[in-house]
Amino acid sequence: MNEYEHFFILVNPVPLNGHSSSIHVSLQDGKGETVEEIQENALLSDNNFRDLSGLYIGLNTAEKHGIKKVTVLTNNVFLRAMVQSERKEMDSYGFSPDIKKLIGNFEEVGIDVVRW
């Protein structure tokens, strides 16, 4: 895998089976080809918990693939704040330290809040 290639992590772009606790993460290369897709259920049906879980899973998966540059695509503004370090306090779910640590392992992590 080209270390200079940019990849995208799509966090919950499409609800799975209409369940609010479904996590759907897709890792795609710059051409839109899917590198890996993860689908599982979160422990809680809260949107922020589900999306934080998805962000953690996506970053962890990208790191395992040796990817250095990613952009996270999500419809959750809370995730943007987490990635851009706009939230100084920890999230109430405890993901913040692990997510910050993962972000530090990449050369570049961007985020775009989009509508699906």
Side-chain angles (χ1 to χ4, degrees), residues 39-88:
Q39 299 178 9
E40 54 186 69
N41 289 320
L43 296 174
L44 302 173
S45 62
D46 179 81
N47 286 346
N48 286 338
F49 181 84
R50 181 197 67 203
D51 290 353
L52 281 168
S53 297
L55 176 62
Y56 177 80
I57 290 166
L59 290 171
N60 197 30
T61 302
E63 183 181 47
K64 287 179 182 176
H65 282 280
I67 295 167
K68 300 293 182 189
K69 298 178 183 182
V70 296
T71 296
V72 178
L73 302 176
T74 181
N75 63 355
N76 189 321
V77 179
F78 180 73
L79 289 190
R80 181 184 69 204
M82 288 292 296
V83 171
Q84 294 177 339
S85 299
E86 292 172 2
R87 292 184 66 93
K88 299 300 181 200

Side-chain angles (χ1 to χ4, degrees), residues 15-28:
L16 298 173
N17 305 322
H19 296 288
S20 60
S21 64
S22 295
I23 298 172
H24 180 199
V25 178
S26 180
L27 181 62
Q28 297 181 354

Side-chain angles (χ1 to χ4, degrees), residues 1 7 25:
M1 215 167 279
F7 288 79
V25 178

